[in-house]
Amino acid sequence: MIKQHIKRFALLFVIVFLGSLVYVGLLTASLSIAPESLRRNTEQGLRIVESEGRYPSYYFEEDTSQLRENTRIDNYTDDLILRRAGMLSKEPLRDAMYMLDYERYWHGYVVLLRPLLSVMDYYTLRRLLHALFWILAALGMAQLSRRVHPAMGAVFLLALAVLHSHILPMSPQYFVCFGIALSAMNLLLCWERRRPLSAWRLLLFFALTGSVTSFLDLLTVPLITFALPMLALLLYDRGRERKPLAALIQCAIAWLIGFCFNWILKWFWSTVILGEDEFGWAITQSGIRIGKSQAFPQTQLAALGQNLSALLSVLGMLYLLACAALLMLALLRRQHANLPLVGALALLALAPYGWYFALANHSQVHTWFTYRAQLSSLLICFAIPLALADFQLERLLPKRRK
């Protein structure tokens, strides 16, 4: 069994490596085409984000509280994205790796944004992202209601509200990880309903999800692309086809292979194609992100505290209090609790805090968007009482006297 797992994980490394070749080709091809409409729409987008300011808060501009902080848009990074999406290239292969002196990321969003900005302006792009986001969210809500529990869909929508997810489509940067996470969750639930995925296909699914995330994302909330589909899988399967804890650990390893190894491959291809040592610079920046820098001193506890504080809005507090009440009832009344599932869910709920601890600098400096990685933890706060009640909430209600 151990040898089989080693072979599977080794094969994932090979597949991710081959995928990196595809990514290099896609970036090169996208930079080879630059219609006039792309330049025009990109310049319009740059004027829009400049007029709005670097970090505007669209709905609470005059508020100085945590609420305003939690609804900030990162126009600074969107400006960076637009400049790379609209760049004119005479050497597409080299520029695909160089990306205007930002080599440590793949910048795969360019592959999607360049065609879109060739046929629509920035306002229309935002409308498209709004439509896609809410379609995916509605599908996710319907899937969770039908496949897990009728109340789970409503709780999913409430958790999105706690995280102010309505602002996500305003920013291409914010949209990426949530778009991947929602798409992966919906696909996984559809496939599982038809026929449970084999162990190998499930590992491949999460490895590819991690790889696509590191290709498209600029380190916003990448963990959500693992945690959300993993949570949906655990709640749908309930230990029928897989041991929950084993499935969680194996899928986490597969996702990390896809995400981390693909990121390292970007440094490798940049070094090979540009003829410069990109590993040293990338490692230095990685050290800053995890808080190992005297110039940018950050602490793990501060990162954890700030992200938890951002979650505890009035709505967030009410949500967590309601979940705590359900948990108390579940602990008092449990009859056929699915304890292996509860254990796996509890471990998955801790994943965002492990991320904050590991990337202390990034998680503290960018609290105003990294706090949304706690979406899965919010859902698990409701899912654990649900699992303790064997997915029958009526067991938690007081029995009527005859």
Side-chain angles (χ1 to χ4, degrees):
M1 181 64 72
I2 295 178
K3 288 184 177 179
Q4 186 181 32
H5 286 317
I6 292 175
K7 287 181 180 179
R8 285 175 176 172
F9 290 132
L11 185 55
L12 290 180
F13 277 104
V14 174
I15 292 172
V16 173
F17 177 82
L18 295 175
S20 72
L21 292 172
V22 175
Y23 295 153
V24 171
L26 287 172
L27 285 168
T28 303
S30 67
L31 291 177
S32 301
I33 303 171
E36 175 63 23
S37 57
L38 171 64
R39 183 193 62 80
R40 184 174 60 252
N41 290 329
T42 300
E43 289 179 354
Q44 182 224 32
L46 289 170
R47 288 194 298 270
I48 291 170
V49 297
E50 183 180 358
S51 66
E52 293 171 344
R54 280 194 170 191
Y55 304 108
S57 181
Y58 279 87
Y59 302 98
F60 307 96
E61 191 63 44
E62 303 303 323
D63 197 336
T64 58
S65 68
Q66 185 69 51
L67 193 59
R68 182 184 185 279
E69 191 75 5
N70 289 352
T71 56
R72 287 166 66 184
I73 304 294
D74 189 359
N75 272 346
Y76 174 80
T77 303
D78 285 339
D79 179 275
L80 178 152
I81 286 173
L82 284 169
R83 292 184 186 280
R84 282 148 186 79
M87 64 187 286
L88 299 177
S89 174
K90 294 181 179 180
E91 297 181 87
L93 179 58
R94 289 183 60 83
D95 288 338
M97 296 297 100
Y98 183 62
M99 279 296 171
L100 300 179
D101 199 25
Y102 217 147
E103 303 96 326
R104 66 182 182 272
Y105 294 105
W106 274 103
H107 300 276
Y109 55 82
V110 166
V111 174
L112 301 176
L113 278 184
R114 285 176 75 89
L116 289 173
L117 288 172
S118 296
V119 297
M120 65 181 68
D121 60 26
Y122 195 64
Y123 286 124
T124 306
L125 175 66
R126 281 178 166 175
R127 295 188 193 102
L128 175 64
L129 294 182
H130 269 94
L132 287 174
F133 178 82
W134 290 113
I135 288 171
L136 290 171
L139 288 173
M141 181 180 174
Q143 292 257 48
L144 291 171
S145 296
R146 294 180 62 186
R147 316 291 180 218
V148 178
H149 190 276
M152 199 68 205
V155 170
F156 174 67
L157 189 61
L158 180 58
L160 288 177
V162 170
L163 298 175
H164 305 287
S165 300
H166 54 287
I167 71 168
L168 295 176
M170 297 295 294
S171 168
Q173 181 204 189
Y174 287 173
F175 176 83
V176 168
C177 283
F178 277 84
I180 295 172
L182 292 170
S183 299
M185 181 183 73
N186 286 317
L187 282 173
L188 193 55
L189 288 175
C190 285
W191 288 337
E192 282 289 299
R193 177 177 173 271
R194 295 179 180 179
R195 184 180 179 181
L197 292 176
S198 65
W200 162 245
R201 289 185 177 181
L202 192 61
L203 293 178
L204 180 60
F205 174 84
F206 276 99
L208 292 178
T209 302
S211 174
V212 170
T213 301
S214 68
F215 179 62
L216 296 174
D217 182 44
L218 284 178
L219 199 62
T220 52
V221 284
L223 184 67
I224 201 69
T225 68
F226 164 72
L228 194 58
M230 190 70 232
L231 172 60
L233 176 68
L234 290 174
L235 293 177
Y236 178 76
D237 185 74
R238 304 181 193 179
R240 292 187 292 253
E241 300 290 337
R242 310 169 182 89
K243 294 180 179 179
L245 187 58
L248 173 62
I249 293 172
Q250 291 171 25
C251 291
I253 294 172
W255 185 87
L256 285 170
I257 289 173
F259 183 78
C260 297
F261 184 52
N262 187 60
W263 207 343
I264 293 171
L265 284 170
K266 174 56 171 68
W267 309 344
F268 169 76
W269 289 121
S270 295
T271 299
V272 170
I273 294 170
L274 298 176
E276 301 174 1
D277 180 18
E278 299 298 338
F279 278 90
W281 174 245
I283 291 172
T284 299
Q285 291 298 310
S286 299
I288 293 174
R289 293 291 174 266
I290 64 177
K292 300 298 183 181
S293 169
Q294 294 182 353
F296 301 96
Q298 311 291 341
T299 66
Q300 280 76 12
L301 289 178
L304 291 171
Q306 285 186 202
N307 280 275
L308 279 169
S309 176
L311 187 67
L312 299 180
S313 62
V314 174
L315 184 59
M317 287 290 290
L318 291 174
Y319 174 87
L320 291 174
L321 286 172
C323 289
L326 280 176
L327 179 60
M328 291 293 292
L329 288 172
L331 291 172
L332 291 172
R333 298 176 179 273
R334 66 185 178 90
Q335 300 174 12
H336 304 288
N338 192 334
L339 294 181
L341 175 59
V342 170
L345 290 174
L347 185 59
L348 181 59
L350 296 175
Y353 308 106
W355 182 277
Y356 298 147
F357 189 86
L359 280 79
N361 170 275
H362 181 266
S363 302
Q364 190 173 351
V365 172
H366 301 296
T367 300
W368 35 281
F369 62 74
T370 61
Y371 81 99
R372 294 190 177 93
Q374 297 171 95
L375 173 61
S376 56
S377 301
L378 282 175
L379 294 173
I380 291 170
C381 287
F382 176 79
I384 285 180
L386 188 63
L388 286 171
D390 199 24
F391 291 83
Q392 298 180 45
L393 285 180
E394 58 272 15
R395 291 183 176 180
L396 305 183
L397 301 176
K399 294 182 179 180
R400 294 182 179 179
R401 295 180 180 180
K402 295 183 179 179

